[in-house]
Structure formats: structure tokens, C-alpha cells
Amino acid sequence: KTTTFRMLCGLLPATRGTLRVAGVDFGSGRASARQRLGYVAQKFSLYGDLSVVENLEFFASAYGLRGARRRDRIAWALEQFDLGQLMQLPSGLLPGGYKQRLAMAAALLHEPETLFLDEPTSGADPLARREFWRRITALAEQGVTVIVTTHFMEEAEYCDHMVILDHGQVLAQGSPAEIRRHAPVEEGRESNMEDAFIAIVEESRGSNAGPPAQVRVAARRPAPSRGT
């Protein structure tokens, strides 16, 4: 899943096939495609020695923002993600939750059409995870297509469309309700997304053993006004 994300963001070349993001082919319009997307890596990948505002200034310049628009977008990011009081602090010293906020703010400076989030709530406490998903939902409602990977099956319920991957192979895809139908029916017990996930992987492998740790769910929440 992470390798797929990195290819879709133009960070890794594809060995074969075609990559299209927001309607742009990476083979012929790589720079144009990158301008239409934002990417937040699983691990904090901004510059730890730079302050919060210095990171935002750097990425705003990298995205080609200049003048008043650059100032307006940085001000928006500081306010939207509650980073104003920490703007002079080296980003490497930020608590984990604030590092996630800064990474997401930097990825949104240029107002991308599509945002890739690679396990954005990994290591976060339940309250931080809930807050992060509120932000994701708000972005989707504003017209941004948000594509998320997660290993928390309950988080997949927040998405409009799911894809279950195992070693690069698509095992199932559809709405959460459609995926949940794969779960076995047991009298006196309500099946959940975890049951469906295990059933799908077991059927694919022809095994009664549970799925290994590297199996993950890729989920996306497209903007309601757009096709997926």
C-alpha cells in the first residue's frame, strides 16, 4: 500500500502500467499531476530542525506559492491546525499529534484536489484519531478526494469506498456495507468489518489461519460531488 501511494505521488517509478491522478497521466504530465495532489507519509518527513512556520514557508515555495497567496495560505494553515502558538518551535520537538497536523497543513497549502494519507492515525490515541477523522471528513465535504490507508478496521467504516489489499493484490472493493457482507453470519452475534476482512483474506489464501500483520485496508473518502 505504501509503495502504491509513493508511485501515485510520483516518488517511485512504476515498473509497468499507467498512473493517472486527478485525470493527469504521470507519464506525460508529472509536474502537473503533482500540483494536483498532496501526500502525508506514514512517518514524519518534514524538516525537524526548521520551525513550524519555516517548514510551511519552505513547502509553500516548493508548491510555487508567491506573494499574498503564500502569506494567506500559511496564515490559514496556522489557524486551521491550531499551530499559531507553536509556529517558532522546531518541528522535531512537536508532540506526535502536532507533527501530524503540521504534515497535513503542509500537504494542503496548495489546495490539492487529491490528498493521500498513509496511516495518518498510527500511534495516535483515540481522541486524536477522532479529531483527525473529523478533519478528513471536513476536507471531503469541501471537495477534496482523500485516500487513506489504515490498519484500524473500524476507521474504514468512515469511508465511502474501500479496497482490501494483500501483497499488492486487490481482494475486494466496494462500500463498507458491501465489504461487510463477506462476514460469516453467526447466530446471536453481529458480524463486523474485522470479521469480513478475515473472511476475505482466508478465502483468497485458502487457509483457516488469520491474516498476517502486513495485510492492510486501503480506504478512500471521495468528495460527494465527484465520481470515484
PDB file of all heavy atoms in Angstrom, residues 27-42:
ATOM      1  N   GLY A  27       2.936   9.790 -16.789  1.00  0.00           N
ATOM      2  CA  GLY A  27       3.942   9.575 -17.822  1.00  0.00           C
ATOM      3  C   GLY A  27       4.198  10.806 -18.664  1.00  0.00           C
ATOM      4  O   GLY A  27       5.329  11.063 -19.091  1.00  0.00           O
ATOM      5  N   SER A  28       3.164  11.623 -18.909  1.00  0.00           N
ATOM      6  CA  SER A  28       3.305  12.774 -19.782  1.00  0.00           C
ATOM      7  C   SER A  28       3.124  14.113 -19.066  1.00  0.00           C
ATOM      8  O   SER A  28       3.443  15.153 -19.631  1.00  0.00           O
ATOM      9  CB  SER A  28       2.286  12.684 -20.931  1.00  0.00           C
ATOM     10  OG  SER A  28       0.960  12.597 -20.416  1.00  0.00           O
ATOM     11  N   GLY A  29       2.604  14.085 -17.846  1.00  0.00           N
ATOM     12  CA  GLY A  29       2.357  15.342 -17.138  1.00  0.00           C
ATOM     13  C   GLY A  29       2.690  15.247 -15.669  1.00  0.00           C
ATOM     14  O   GLY A  29       1.870  15.588 -14.816  1.00  0.00           O
ATOM     15  N   ARG A  30       3.909  14.799 -15.351  1.00  0.00           N
ATOM     16  CA  ARG A  30       4.294  14.558 -13.960  1.00  0.00           C
ATOM     17  C   ARG A  30       4.177  15.825 -13.109  1.00  0.00           C
ATOM     18  O   ARG A  30       3.626  15.804 -12.012  1.00  0.00           O
ATOM     19  CB  ARG A  30       5.718  14.011 -13.909  1.00  0.00           C
ATOM     20  CG  ARG A  30       6.183  13.608 -12.509  1.00  0.00           C
ATOM     21  CD  ARG A  30       7.595  13.049 -12.578  1.00  0.00           C
ATOM     22  NE  ARG A  30       7.624  11.846 -13.384  1.00  0.00           N
ATOM     23  CZ  ARG A  30       7.436  10.612 -12.895  1.00  0.00           C
ATOM     24  NH1 ARG A  30       7.202  10.460 -11.599  1.00  0.00           N
ATOM     25  NH2 ARG A  30       7.479   9.562 -13.684  1.00  0.00           N
ATOM     26  N   ALA A  31       4.700  16.949 -13.593  1.00  0.00           N
ATOM     27  CA  ALA A  31       4.673  18.186 -12.808  1.00  0.00           C
ATOM     28  C   ALA A  31       3.239  18.651 -12.581  1.00  0.00           C
ATOM     29  O   ALA A  31       2.873  19.074 -11.481  1.00  0.00           O
ATOM     30  CB  ALA A  31       5.478  19.275 -13.517  1.00  0.00           C
ATOM     31  N   SER A  32       2.415  18.559 -13.617  1.00  0.00           N
ATOM     32  CA  SER A  32       1.010  18.961 -13.495  1.00  0.00           C
ATOM     33  C   SER A  32       0.270  18.068 -12.509  1.00  0.00           C
ATOM     34  O   SER A  32      -0.544  18.545 -11.713  1.00  0.00           O
ATOM     35  CB  SER A  32       0.331  18.906 -14.863  1.00  0.00           C
ATOM     36  OG  SER A  32      -1.040  19.209 -14.758  1.00  0.00           O
ATOM     37  N   ALA A  33       0.562  16.756 -12.544  1.00  0.00           N
ATOM     38  CA  ALA A  33      -0.104  15.820 -11.637  1.00  0.00           C
ATOM     39  C   ALA A  33       0.273  16.115 -10.190  1.00  0.00           C
ATOM     40  O   ALA A  33      -0.583  16.083  -9.299  1.00  0.00           O
ATOM     41  CB  ALA A  33       0.271  14.384 -12.004  1.00  0.00           C
ATOM     42  N   ARG A  34       1.544  16.407  -9.949  1.00  0.00           N
ATOM     43  CA  ARG A  34       1.991  16.672  -8.578  1.00  0.00           C
ATOM     44  C   ARG A  34       1.334  17.926  -8.001  1.00  0.00           C
ATOM     45  O   ARG A  34       1.109  18.017  -6.799  1.00  0.00           O
ATOM     46  CB  ARG A  34       3.510  16.828  -8.554  1.00  0.00           C
ATOM     47  CG  ARG A  34       4.253  15.492  -8.604  1.00  0.00           C
ATOM     48  CD  ARG A  34       5.739  15.701  -8.594  1.00  0.00           C
ATOM     49  NE  ARG A  34       6.464  14.440  -8.437  1.00  0.00           N
ATOM     50  CZ  ARG A  34       7.765  14.312  -8.580  1.00  0.00           C
ATOM     51  NH1 ARG A  34       8.502  15.367  -8.891  1.00  0.00           N
ATOM     52  NH2 ARG A  34       8.354  13.146  -8.422  1.00  0.00           N
ATOM     53  N   GLN A  35       1.046  18.899  -8.846  1.00  0.00           N
ATOM     54  CA  GLN A  35       0.389  20.109  -8.382  1.00  0.00           C
ATOM     55  C   GLN A  35      -1.040  19.851  -7.924  1.00  0.00           C
ATOM     56  O   GLN A  35      -1.614  20.648  -7.187  1.00  0.00           O
ATOM     57  CB  GLN A  35       0.386  21.161  -9.497  1.00  0.00           C
ATOM     58  CG  GLN A  35       1.717  21.849  -9.709  1.00  0.00           C
ATOM     59  CD  GLN A  35       2.163  22.643  -8.490  1.00  0.00           C
ATOM     60  OE1 GLN A  35       1.362  23.332  -7.865  1.00  0.00           O
ATOM     61  NE2 GLN A  35       3.440  22.541  -8.141  1.00  0.00           N
ATOM     62  N   ARG A  36      -1.613  18.726  -8.328  1.00  0.00           N
ATOM     63  CA  ARG A  36      -3.000  18.414  -8.007  1.00  0.00           C
ATOM     64  C   ARG A  36      -3.148  17.512  -6.787  1.00  0.00           C
ATOM     65  O   ARG A  36      -4.262  17.166  -6.421  1.00  0.00           O
ATOM     66  CB  ARG A  36      -3.677  17.727  -9.202  1.00  0.00           C
ATOM     67  CG  ARG A  36      -3.809  18.631 -10.423  1.00  0.00           C
ATOM     68  CD  ARG A  36      -4.247  17.826 -11.646  1.00  0.00           C
ATOM     69  NE  ARG A  36      -4.383  18.681 -12.801  1.00  0.00           N
ATOM     70  CZ  ARG A  36      -5.544  18.945 -13.406  1.00  0.00           C
ATOM     71  NH1 ARG A  36      -6.653  18.435 -12.926  1.00  0.00           N
ATOM     72  NH2 ARG A  36      -5.587  19.718 -14.462  1.00  0.00           N
ATOM     73  N   LEU A  37      -2.023  17.116  -6.196  1.00  0.00           N
ATOM     74  CA  LEU A  37      -2.119  16.179  -5.074  1.00  0.00           C
ATOM     75  C   LEU A  37      -1.270  16.613  -3.896  1.00  0.00           C
ATOM     76  O   LEU A  37      -0.336  17.396  -4.028  1.00  0.00           O
ATOM     77  CB  LEU A  37      -1.717  14.769  -5.521  1.00  0.00           C
ATOM     78  CG  LEU A  37      -0.290  14.530  -6.036  1.00  0.00           C
ATOM     79  CD1 LEU A  37       0.676  14.230  -4.892  1.00  0.00           C
ATOM     80  CD2 LEU A  37      -0.275  13.388  -7.036  1.00  0.00           C
ATOM     81  N   GLY A  38      -1.652  16.101  -2.719  1.00  0.00           N
ATOM     82  CA  GLY A  38      -0.874  16.265  -1.503  1.00  0.00           C
ATOM     83  C   GLY A  38      -0.605  14.898  -0.907  1.00  0.00           C
ATOM     84  O   GLY A  38      -1.376  13.958  -1.115  1.00  0.00           O
ATOM     85  N   TYR A  39       0.498  14.774  -0.171  1.00  0.00           N
ATOM     86  CA  TYR A  39       0.886  13.464   0.365  1.00  0.00           C
ATOM     87  C   TYR A  39       1.405  13.625   1.784  1.00  0.00           C
ATOM     88  O   TYR A  39       2.274  14.464   2.046  1.00  0.00           O
ATOM     89  CB  TYR A  39       1.965  12.844  -0.528  1.00  0.00           C
ATOM     90  CG  TYR A  39       2.592  11.573   0.005  1.00  0.00           C
ATOM     91  CD1 TYR A  39       1.811  10.454   0.285  1.00  0.00           C
ATOM     92  CD2 TYR A  39       3.966  11.484   0.219  1.00  0.00           C
ATOM     93  CE1 TYR A  39       2.383   9.284   0.766  1.00  0.00           C
ATOM     94  CE2 TYR A  39       4.552  10.320   0.689  1.00  0.00           C
ATOM     95  CZ  TYR A  39       3.752   9.227   0.963  1.00  0.00           C
ATOM     96  OH  TYR A  39       4.322   8.069   1.448  1.00  0.00           O
ATOM     97  N   VAL A  40       0.862  12.838   2.706  1.00  0.00           N
ATOM     98  CA  VAL A  40       1.344  12.790   4.083  1.00  0.00           C
ATOM     99  C   VAL A  40       1.860  11.380   4.337  1.00  0.00           C
ATOM    100  O   VAL A  40       1.095  10.414   4.305  1.00  0.00           O
ATOM    101  CB  VAL A  40       0.238  13.151   5.092  1.00  0.00           C
ATOM    102  CG1 VAL A  40       0.774  13.035   6.525  1.00  0.00           C
ATOM    103  CG2 VAL A  40      -0.289  14.559   4.836  1.00  0.00           C
ATOM    104  N   ALA A  41       3.159  11.265   4.568  1.00  0.00           N
ATOM    105  CA  ALA A  41       3.790   9.961   4.749  1.00  0.00           C
ATOM    106  C   ALA A  41       3.434   9.375   6.114  1.00  0.00           C
ATOM    107  O   ALA A  41       3.003  10.083   7.034  1.00  0.00           O
ATOM    108  CB  ALA A  41       5.304  10.082   4.609  1.00  0.00           C
ATOM    109  N   GLN A  42       3.638   8.068   6.233  1.00  0.00           N
ATOM    110  CA  GLN A  42       3.349   7.376   7.496  1.00  0.00           C
ATOM    111  C   GLN A  42       4.243   7.901   8.618  1.00  0.00           C
ATOM    112  O   GLN A  42       3.793   8.113   9.737  1.00  0.00           O
ATOM    113  CB  GLN A  42       3.540   5.874   7.321  1.00  0.00           C
ATOM    114  CG  GLN A  42       3.222   5.062   8.557  1.00  0.00           C
ATOM    115  CD  GLN A  42       3.355   3.564   8.295  1.00  0.00           C
ATOM    116  OE1 GLN A  42       3.578   3.130   7.181  1.00  0.00           O
ATOM    117  NE2 GLN A  42       3.205   2.771   9.329  1.00  0.00           N
TER     118      GLN A  42
END
